[in-house]
Amino acid sequence: MNAIEIRNLSKSFRGMYAVDGLNMTVPVGAIYGFIGENGSGKSTTEKLICGHLVPDNGQIKLFGKDYTDAGVRVRVGALIENAGCFPNSSVWANLMMQALNLGIQNRAEEINRVLKIVRMEDNAHIKFKSCSLGMKQRIGIAMALLGDPALLILDEPINGLDTDGMRIMREILVDITQNYGCTVLISSHILGELEKIATHYGIIRQGKMIQELSAAEMDARSRVVVSVKTDNVVGAVVELTRRFGNAKIEDGYIRVYDVDDTERIAECLLQSGHTISEIVKNKVGLEEYYVELMSKKEAV
């Protein structure tokens, strides 16, 4: 069973389609990275899944049932745009108001549970307005986790966070999926951070899903690049281009793309009389893969 199945979903505003025939499949237990430029339809799609907007056409199923089913709606938690907290109330008070709104039993116990998950159990007394951006985002996630949802939908939760804040957020999201059995749909522009935790990706453009793939599939499709530093970069790049056909000078390195053999590259340079000070092989990451995919779509 999939946590989310969307088929031919459309939503227009004043005759313009924000979501246009979109298809999406999110497996149970996944951290699904939802990727696209500003205005591509990510937030609209998330609001449609949450029931905040009504679609023009299409079908949304959550855990095999229609998304309007009351039994499945209570299994969804969301943080879209902001947490909607009262600034002069404490973290605890804001969570208590949300727990009351949701009709949760054993509210104090449930609040303690979600505060522990988001590493905020020692800050329950602090007023919301005094919290850092990272803390506010974690409070928003805590509110979304009230009631122990099976699906968590997060709109840009790591944007604007510092390095430590992003690390904590990564740990929380992995913890939610691995130890609490929650599926996570997360949108973000910070692809390097998303790449560290996502198990699946969906890439959207102009309201259409242009590609869905698992992290393993993305890794298999990613280009290999060998980065080399030599005593004569200009001369060495000429030799490598002649031999391998796809060498470029970038940031002081010679980068040879799509050649998965550092020994052949090193042998070529040494035989040509070049001294190698550094050579390393990597795979092009999610950000580069996304940019390349977008450029191909623009060329079509």
Side-chain angles (χ1 to χ4, degrees), residues 26-260:
V26 179
V28 168
I31 298 179
Y32 186 101
F34 197 23
I35 304 167
E37 59 198 359
N38 288 334
S40 61
K42 299 189 303 298
S43 295
T44 300
T45 301
E46 291 173 329
K47 290 175 182 178
L48 287 164
I49 295 169
C50 292
H52 298 172
L53 295 171
V54 178
D56 296 345
N57 296 290
Q59 182 183 65
I60 304 172
K61 285 190 174 182
L62 304 177
F63 302 101
K65 296 183 179 180
D66 187 85
Y67 80 113
T68 60
D69 182 272
V72 81
R73 294 249 39 97
V74 298
R75 303 180 68 189
V76 180
L79 174 60
I80 297 178
E81 295 180 355
N82 57 67
C85 290
F86 293 96
N88 289 310
S89 296
S90 68
V91 173
W92 179 275
N94 274 291
L95 286 168
M96 180 58 74
M97 284 183 275
Q98 180 68 354
L100 284 165
N101 183 50
L102 295 172
I104 292 173
Q105 303 297 315
N106 302 315
R107 289 182 289 275
E109 180 180 333
E110 176 66 0
I111 291 169
N112 285 330
R113 184 186 75 88
V114 298
L115 283 172
K116 185 176 181 180
I117 292 173
V118 301
R119 286 54 162 177
M120 288 285 292
E121 62 267 42
D122 295 330
N123 298 291
H125 64 285
I126 298 175
K127 287 185 177 181
F128 182 78
K129 68 179 182 181
S130 300
C131 294
S132 67
L133 175 60
M135 292 169 69
K136 288 177 179 177
Q137 291 293 76
R138 283 186 274 153
I139 294 163
I141 292 176
M143 294 183 76
L145 287 171
L146 287 169
D148 196 18
L151 172 63
L152 189 63
I153 298 173
L154 305 174
D155 186 27
E156 309 281 4
I158 59 177
N159 286 13
L161 302 186
D162 59 21
T163 301
D164 195 50
M166 287 191 283
R167 176 189 59 79
I168 294 171
M169 189 65 73
R170 289 198 311 267
E171 293 174 355
I172 290 169
L173 296 179
V174 171
D175 187 29
I176 288 168
T177 55
Q178 292 185 353
N179 298 318
Y180 294 90
C182 191
T183 302
V184 176
L185 169 63
I186 172 175
S187 64
S188 179
H189 289 106
I190 308 176
L191 304 189
E193 288 298 310
L194 199 59
E195 187 175 15
K196 295 174 183 176
I197 58 171
T199 62
H200 295 76
Y201 301 101
I203 301 174
I204 185 174
R205 186 180 187 196
Q206 295 177 350
K208 299 178 183 292
M209 185 70 74
I210 62 171
Q211 190 171 95
E212 284 189 298
L213 69 170
S214 68
E217 289 170 330
M218 198 283 289
D219 184 63
R221 297 182 191 186
S222 297
R223 301 173 71 190
V224 173
V225 56
V226 176
S227 300
V228 186
K229 271 193 174 182
T230 72
D231 57 337
N232 180 1
V233 173
V234 175
V237 78
V238 172
E239 185 64 31
L240 290 172
T241 300
R242 183 187 67 79
R243 181 76 173 271
F244 300 103
N246 195 6
K248 301 176 182 178
I249 299 174
E250 298 175 340
D251 303 323
Y253 287 85
I254 302 171
R255 293 205 166 96
V256 185
Y257 289 89
D258 306 319
V259 179
D260 193 6

